[in-house]
Amino acid sequence: MTSAGPAATTSVLEPYALRVEHLENPIGLDEPRPRFAWRLRTSGAGTRQAGYRVVVSGGRGETAWDSGRVASDDQFEIGYAGVPLRPFTGYTWTVQVWDADGVAGAGAEGTFETGRLERPWVARWIGRDRRDRPAFLAPADDDLTWNTRGLPAPSLLRTTFDTARAVTFARLHITARGLYEARINGRLVHDTALNPGWTDYQRRIFYQTYDVTSVVRTGSNAIGVVLADGWWSGFVGYDARNAGRLYGTAPALLAELHLTLADGSTQVIRTDETWRESAGEWLHADLLMGEGVDARRRPEGWDAPGFDDARWRRALPFGDDTATVTGATTPPIRTVAEVAPVSVRNDADGAAVIDFGQNLVGHLRLRIRGAAVGQFIELTHAEILDDDGRLYLENLRRAEARDIYYARGDAEETFEPRFTFHGFRYARIAGLGAELDPADVRAVVISSDLEEVGAFDCDSPDVLQIVSNTRWSQRGNFLSVPTDCPQRDERLGWLADAQVFAPTAARASDVSAFFATWMVDVVAGQSPDGAFGDIAPAGPWMGEGAPAWGDAGTIIPMMLFDTYGDRRQLAQSYPAMVRWVEHIRRANPDLLWRERVGSNYGDWLHAGPETARDVLATAYFANSASLVARAAAILGHAEDELRYTSLAQEIRDAFVAEFVREGIITSDTQTCYLLALDYDLLPADQVPGAADRLVQLVRAAGNRLTTGFVGVSKICRVLSAHGHDDVAHALLAQEEYPSWLFPIRHGATTIWERWDGWTPEGGFQSANMNSFNHYSLGAVVDWIYATLGGIDRVPGSVGHREVLVRPRPGAGVSRAAAGQETPLGRVATSWELVDGRFSLDVELPPGARGVLSLPTADLASVSDGAGGSVAGEVAVGPHGEVEIRVGGGRHRVVVDGVAPGVPAPAGTPLRAAR
C-alpha cells in the first residue's frame, strides 16, 4: 500500500511530563543515581526522537552532570552519571531533544531535591509511655464498644524555637512509627493523609519532606504533631491477636526541621526529650475501628507559639535507631475527590441515613450547627443496605467503621476524622437532634495519589459502568499498598489479587512507583528457603505463598519492565525471582507442583467446576520459570537464560504428559484451558483444539463465566488472541449470574469480591468473607482497553514503543474512544461503526510504531476515507485480518462492509491494493 505520506511540517518535538524516579519534581529523594524520563508530543506526524541531552544543575547553579548530546531514542531509564549528589540540595534538570533530521525540539525543565542520602539523623524517636496513663475514656462508657474502649488515644507533641533572622529555606523531614499530622504555627503543613504510609516497618520506614519556608517566621515559632497508632500498633488484619502489637506497642515520632537563614547560617530543630506531650481531644483513633473525638477537650492554640504547656509531660525518648528510615519512593495518600449525598432520609430512630450513590473509601466531613455542649453524635458506615433498608454491617466483621464526636457547643463546628478510613456508600448519623442539611455532609475520598493516565468512553452504559466500578475499586484499594478490601478487618496486600489486576491498574493510573515500592516489601517477605508469601507487607502472615499468590514475585517485576521499562526494579527483584523458582523445583523434582504449595487456594472463588489445583500450580510454575528466563535475557545472564528456558520447557512437557489426554486437560474447566493457552503450555498442534474446547465450555455455561480470581483476568484476552472476539463480547454483555453485569443490575458501583455477593435467591453470601469493593474481578478492563478501546502493546515491546491498535466492535458497542499516557507519550483511538462502515482515528506519540489491526480480511475495503489508501506497510494478522504498520502521528482508516460483532474470516488472503 503506497501513499505520498503526511505533508511536511514545521512542528518540533516537545518533552512533557518530566519524571525523576517515576515521580514529578520529588522532594526528599534518597536515590544517589536517580533515573530521568519524559514523554513527547508534536503537532506533526512521523517525527521521532533521535537524540537527547540532559543537564543537571545544583543548588548554586553549578553543573552536576551534562550527558552531552546522546544519539538515542530512549525517553526513560536515563540514569544520572554525574558527580555525587549532595544531601538536602535542590537540583534543576533540563532535557533537550533532537528529531531524526537533527532539528532541535523544545526544551523542558524539571526539579528534584535530595533527601538525607544516608546523612545520619540527629533527631531521636519520641512519644509517650502508655503504662503511666490509661487510655482516655469517653465521658460515658456506654458510648464506646468493647473494641474501642481499651484503645489508646493519639498524643499531641510540641516544641518551640526562635529564629533571629528571616528564613530563606525550610524543610521538615518527618516520619512516625504510626501516623502523624504535622503543624507549624497553627497551620497544617501537608495535604497528605495517613502518613508515612505502610511498609514492612521492620525493614524500612518512609519519611516525607515538606517545604515549609512560607510557614516559619522570624521570631517565635512552634511545631505541633499529632501522633496516632496506624498500622504500627493499631488493629491490622483479621486476627485479634494482632491488635496493638503488630510492629510495636506504642507509636513514636522522628522529625528534623532544617532552616537556612538570610545570613546563610543554618539551624536544625529535632525531636528529643525536650519536646512536650499531652492528650488532646481524641478518645481513640484506629484504622479499622474508627475515631472518637471529644471536642470539649481540644487545647486551643497548642500548635502555636505562646501556648502554656507547663502542665504537659516531657516526651519519652524511644531511642535513636534510624537505620530503617528512608525517603519515600511512592506518591502519598491524599484526598482525591469529595462526593455529595444523592439522598438523605430519617430512619425510625430519627437518625439520618445518607446514600452517596457510590461505594467509596475515606471518611465523612460533617458540619454541625447549634449542638449542645457534650452532645453525642455517632457516624456509622456501610457498603450496602439490608432488606429492611438498614445499614448492613455483618460483613465488616470486627471492623467497626464507627466514628463518634462530643460537640464543643459552638454555633458551628466540623467533625472530620483523620486517622481512620472506611469503605462505604451509606452512612448513618445519629444524635444531631435536627434534620440534616445535605449541604452539611460530604464523603471525602482518599487514595494513593497516582497520576490518572487512562480514559475510556463508548456508547454502552453497561461497559462504562464496568470500567467505572473497576476504577472506583482500584481507587479505594490502592492506599499505600494494594489492599484486598477497604471495609472489613483485613485490608491486606494479597499478592494474587495484585498480580491479576496489575495490567488493569496500569490502564487507569501510573502505577510504576506504587508497584515498584510494594515489590520491595514482597521481596522482603521472602523466606530464607526462597518462598514468597501470600501477603505483603508480610507482618505475622508469613508462610509459603500459594500458586498464583507467590508467583506475583515473578509476574509484577516483568509487568513493570514491559509497561514502564523499569530495568532497575527487575534487576533488584531478579535474585528473589530465581530463589522462588528454585524453591518450587527442589520440592517437586518431577516438575509437577504438588508439594510446598502453601494454602493452595486454587482458582479462588470460582463460580463453576473446580480447576484441579495441581494443574493450576504447575501452569504457574512453568510461567514463573519462563519469566525468570526472560528476565535473565534482559539482564544479560546468559547461563541463567539457558537454564530457565530449558526448565520451563521441561515443566511444559511434564504438564502435557500428566494432565492432557486426547486434547482434554484434567478437570476440563475454563480456567485450565486459559492457563494452558496463556502460558503456552501446549504443543502447537494442540492449541486450536484447546481454544475450541474453551469456547465450548463458555457456550455450555450459557455464555457465562465459571472462573475465579485466576481465570478472570485471562478469559477475554485468551479468547480474542485465538480469534474468538465474539465469544469474549458475549461474556461481557452477559447479565445473568455469574457475570460482570450481574452485580451492576443489582446496584453495584464497585467490583464485588464474589460473583454472588448477593443474589435474589440467596440474599447475602457468608458475612465471613463478602466484600462489595474488591478489584480482582475487574481485571477484564485491561481487555476492554485493548479490544474495545483498541490500545495494546505488541507482544515483546517495552513501554508501548510498539502499539497494537486492535479495536473490535461488539458487546453492543458501536462507538468507542480511549486514551493512554505511555512512557513515550499519549496514545489515543476513536472509532465508530455506522451502517457497515468502520472509521478509526489513531494518534501515536513520536517514536512509537503502530500495528493497525482491522476487523476485515479484505484489503480492498480499506481506505483513508477520502478516496486514497492508508500509508503504511501491509501485513496479514494471525487470523487473516488486515494489518497496517505505521509510525508516530495521526492516522485515519476506514473499512467498509464490517458487521458488528462478526470476526474477520480467518485465513482469507488479502486482495491486492487498489
Side-chain angles (χ1 to χ4, degrees):
M1 196 173 255
T2 60
S3 172
T9 177
T10 57
S11 63
V12 295
L13 294 174
E14 180 186 353
Y16 72 103
L18 275 60
R19 298 290 184 268
V20 181
E21 286 298 308
H22 303 291
L23 302 172
E24 181 180 8
N25 298 331
I27 297 179
L29 199 65
D30 272 348
E31 171 55 56
R33 297 288 176 183
R35 296 162 295 171
F36 303 97
W38 56 89
R39 302 172 196 156
L40 289 175
R41 59 190 168 204
T42 180
S43 58
T47 309
R48 65 177 181 85
Q49 175 187 302
Y52 70 81
R53 180 187 182 190
V54 173
V55 178
V56 179
S57 302
R60 292 184 293 272
E62 71 279 11
T63 298
W65 178 48
D66 186 341
S67 71
R69 183 167 173 174
V70 180
S72 172
D73 60 358
D74 290 342
Q75 295 175 223
F76 46 87
E77 295 290 295
I78 310 299
Y80 176 80
V83 301
L85 298 174
R86 299 191 305 271
F88 307 127
T89 302
Y91 289 87
T92 298
W93 70 284
T94 60
V95 57
Q96 174 74 59
V97 297
W98 288 266
D99 68 15
D101 296 323
V103 177
E109 182 178 286
T111 63
F112 67 95
E113 198 170 295
T114 54
R116 313 190 67 84
L117 292 177
E118 299 185 355
R119 177 74 64 87
W121 288 79
V122 296
R124 304 188 68 188
W125 292 101
I126 61 170
R128 73 170 171 86
D129 189 339
R130 284 179 167 163
R131 293 173 299 179
D132 65 2
R133 188 168 71 214
F136 181 21
L137 298 181
D141 280 357
D142 288 345
D143 295 334
L144 295 176
T145 66
W146 73 272
N147 272 335
T148 56
R149 184 172 292 115
L151 283 177
S155 293
L156 305 184
L157 292 153
R158 66 173 262 119
T159 193
T160 59
F161 64 95
D162 293 328
T163 58
R165 297 172 184 82
V167 174
T168 60
F169 185 86
R171 296 292 187 266
L172 177 65
H173 309 276
I174 183 169
T175 190
R177 294 169 177 164
L179 302 176
Y180 71 82
E181 181 182 271
R183 311 178 73 86
I184 295 179
N185 296 333
R187 288 177 53 186
L188 185 66
V189 299
H190 51 81
D191 62 354
T192 52
L194 303 182
N195 299 299
W198 189 16
T199 50
D200 188 335
Y201 294 137
Q202 294 173 337
R203 293 171 173 84
R204 60 175 181 162
I205 298 174
F206 285 148
Y207 72 88
Q208 281 84 28
T209 299
Y210 303 108
D211 181 352
V212 295
T213 308
S214 64
V215 183
V216 181
R217 58 200 184 204
T218 305
S220 298
N221 295 268
I223 306 175
V225 179
V226 186
L227 181 64
D229 289 81
W231 292 278
W232 175 265
S233 49
F235 279 85
V236 178
Y238 46 76
D239 190 338
R241 291 172 298 178
N242 296 330
R245 60 184 188 206
L246 180 56
Y247 297 101
T249 58
L253 174 69
L254 183 75
E256 290 178 8
L257 176 62
H258 289 225
L259 306 177
T260 301
L261 307 183
D263 62 356
S265 62
T266 61
Q267 187 175 350
V268 177
I269 295 87
R270 64 190 181 106
T271 49
D272 58 20
E273 60 273 13
T274 65
W275 284 52
R276 311 292 286 180
E277 182 275 331
S278 177
E281 66 262 38
W282 279 271
L283 309 172
H284 61 269
D286 186 84
L287 292 172
L288 271 65
M289 299 306 162
E291 192 163 321
V293 168
D294 185 345
R296 296 168 297 178
R297 299 176 182 252
R298 182 177 301 132
E300 293 296 333
W302 71 276
D303 53 358
F307 178 80
D308 183 4
D309 60 11
R311 300 181 63 182
W312 286 30
R313 298 167 180 249
R314 283 187 176 271
L316 180 71
F318 275 67
D320 55 6
D321 179 10
T322 58
T324 59
V325 180
T326 187
T329 60
T330 188
I333 297 170
R334 283 192 173 94
T335 295
V336 296
E338 293 186 9
V339 179
V342 297
S343 71
V344 177
R345 63 176 174 84
N346 291 333
D347 64 13
D349 297 323
V353 177
I354 308 159
D355 179 4
F356 289 97
Q358 174 63 55
N359 198 3
L360 52 86
V361 174
H363 55 263
L364 297 182
R365 180 189 301 123
L366 177 64
R367 182 165 53 190
I368 302 164
R369 303 172 189 266
V373 176
Q375 184 172 324
F376 176 70
I377 299 168
E378 178 187 51
L379 284 57
T380 313
H381 309 75
E383 295 184 288
I384 201 163
L385 301 178
D386 65 19
D387 292 340
D388 296 321
R390 297 171 300 194
L391 270 63
Y392 180 71
L393 302 175
E394 284 79 357
N395 71 321
L396 304 183
R397 301 191 306 211
R398 290 182 312 116
E400 298 205 343
R402 176 178 177 265
D403 302 322
I404 62 175
Y405 184 76
Y406 292 89
R408 187 179 179 89
D410 297 339
E412 183 178 301
E413 49 196 297
T414 299
F415 176 39
E416 181 175 359
R418 303 187 321 249
F419 302 106
T420 190
F421 66 91
H422 313 296
F424 65 100
R425 170 176 172 171
Y426 301 93
R428 181 180 185 270
I429 302 179
L432 284 176
E435 291 290 324
L436 174 67
D437 184 341
D440 286 344
V441 64
R442 290 292 182 269
V444 179
V445 182
I446 63 171
S447 179
S448 284
D449 189 19
L450 310 179
E451 179 194 5
E452 295 196 3
V453 297
F456 177 84
D457 187 31
C458 72
D459 58 353
S460 167
D462 285 341
V463 175
L464 290 178
Q465 194 64 54
I466 293 172
V467 174
S468 174
N469 287 13
T470 303
R471 182 71 187 95
W472 275 100
S473 283
Q474 177 178 340
R475 183 180 288 122
N477 281 289
F478 277 30
L479 278 93
S480 194
V481 302
T483 63
D484 64 319
C485 58
Q487 70 299 100
R488 67 181 180 228
D489 58 341
E490 193 161 348
R491 313 183 195 187
L492 302 175
W494 288 91
L495 270 66
D497 308 38
Q499 64 94 351
V500 301
F501 187 74
T504 290
R507 295 292 192 173
S509 305
D510 181 347
V511 293
S512 54
F514 181 82
F515 271 121
T517 294
W518 183 63
M519 270 306 304
V520 176
D521 289 327
V522 172
V523 171
Q526 192 174 36
S527 74
D529 193 46
F532 289 118
D534 287 333
I535 295 169
W541 303 282
M542 292 295 292
E544 296 181 356
W549 273 253
D551 294 283
T554 62
I555 292 170
I556 290 180
M558 191 58 68
M559 170 264 174
L560 291 173
F561 177 78
D562 286 339
T563 307
Y564 304 106
D566 194 339
R567 182 186 178 95
R568 179 182 289 176
Q569 198 281 326
L570 184 64
Q572 290 171 345
S573 298
Y574 178 76
M577 295 167 66
V578 170
R579 289 195 300 270
W580 169 246
V581 170
E582 290 299 324
H583 157 77
I584 302 168
R585 184 192 59 77
R586 282 194 304 272
N588 299 276
D590 63 356
L591 305 183
L592 301 172
W593 190 5
R594 289 166 171 155
E595 302 298 328
R596 307 291 291 269
V597 290
S599 296
N600 205 11
Y601 303 103
D603 191 13
W604 187 244
L605 298 181
H606 57 91
E610 182 176 8
T611 300
R613 299 192 181 196
D614 53 355
V615 171
L616 184 149
T618 304
Y620 266 94
F621 182 22
N623 183 58
S624 281
S626 294
L627 293 175
V628 170
R630 184 166 169 238
I634 293 166
L635 299 172
H637 306 309
E639 291 185 6
D640 279 4
E641 180 188 0
L642 292 174
R643 171 184 173 85
Y644 291 106
T645 298
S646 176
L647 176 61
Q649 185 57 54
E650 291 171 5
I651 301 169
R652 292 188 191 99
D653 293 343
F655 180 94
V656 172
E658 181 72 10
F659 300 125
V660 183
R661 294 290 183 274
E662 297 181 355
I664 300 300
I665 301 176
T666 298
S667 66
D668 198 30
T669 64
Q670 291 178 9
T671 294
C672 73
Y673 293 99
L674 292 169
L675 290 166
L677 293 167
D678 193 33
Y679 292 158
D680 191 24
L681 303 181
L682 304 175
D685 62 348
Q686 294 187 23
V687 169
D692 289 344
R693 181 56 184 158
L694 172 62
V695 171
Q696 292 171 9
L697 291 172
V698 173
R699 296 298 195 200
N703 289 334
R704 293 182 180 87
L705 298 149
T706 61
T707 65
F709 277 25
V710 169
V712 71
S713 64
K714 304 179 183 300
I715 188 161
C716 286
R717 266 200 173 274
V718 168
L719 286 166
S720 286
H722 291 275
H724 299 291
D725 289 301
D726 54 335
V727 183
H729 284 307
L731 283 171
L732 192 68
Q734 176 63 255
E735 299 182 19
E736 298 180 9
Y737 165 83
S739 69
W740 289 287
L741 290 182
F742 174 79
I744 289 171
R745 292 293 179 265
H746 296 285
T749 61
T750 42
I751 299 296
W752 291 358
E753 178 177 25
R754 315 178 73 125
W755 297 115
D756 59 347
W758 181 91
T759 63
E761 301 79 16
F764 292 107
Q765 251 284 4
S766 169
N768 289 332
M769 193 184 69
N770 194 20
S771 163
F772 293 96
N773 189 353
H774 195 298
Y775 51 66
S776 296
L777 298 182
V780 69
V781 168
D782 178 48
W783 174 85
I784 289 174
Y785 267 84
T787 305
L788 288 176
I791 300 177
D792 206 1
R793 286 184 302 106
V794 171
S797 70
V798 176
H800 285 82
R801 189 165 295 279
E802 295 181 87
V803 181
L804 176 60
V805 179
R806 188 186 177 277
R808 292 296 185 267
V813 178
S814 59
R815 175 191 59 78
Q820 189 83 40
E821 287 285 351
T822 75
L824 294 187
R826 181 170 175 77
V827 176
T829 62
S830 177
W831 65 264
E832 64 178 2
L833 178 59
V834 179
D835 297 331
R837 169 166 276 208
F838 176 83
S839 302
L840 170 66
D841 290 284
V842 179
E843 180 181 354
L844 300 175
R849 298 179 293 275
V851 176
L852 311 185
S853 175
L854 305 176
T856 184
D858 181 3
L859 181 58
S861 67
V862 179
S863 71
D864 64 1
S869 58
V870 180
E873 176 189 347
V874 177
V876 181
H879 307 293
E881 67 271 28
V882 175
E883 290 187 347
I884 303 176
R885 305 181 189 281
V886 299
R890 292 178 171 85
H891 306 275
R892 180 170 177 78
V893 183
V894 174
V895 182
D896 288 309
V898 176
V902 178
T908 302
L910 296 184
R911 299 178 186 174
R914 289 173 296 182

